[in-house]
Amino acid sequence: MLLIPAIDLRGGRCVRLLQGRFDAETVYGTDPRAILERYRALGARYVHVVDLDGARDGSQGNHASIAGLAGAFPDMQLQVGGGIR
């Protein structure tokens, strides 16, 4: 079985939404790179990254952060979703 962890980004922070509600979020960290590094140290080679701002309003507010993650960890495979148009 292959488990793929996820990082949901909203305003540059790592969050989880309660039942998809933007007014009910839990912040898990303010440094996506640190979260990705932790996943990598635990053996993850694939990570799903969701741009919640892009999914909500079509903006690309997390684009630089996502590009930075991809550049910092070239040995990892990132699947990106949310707001891709």
Side-chain angles (χ1 to χ4, degrees), residues 45-59:
R45 294 294 166 245
Y46 303 92
V47 176
H48 180 72
V49 180
V50 180
D51 181 347
L52 293 174
D53 296 312
R56 183 176 192 184
D57 58 25
S59 69

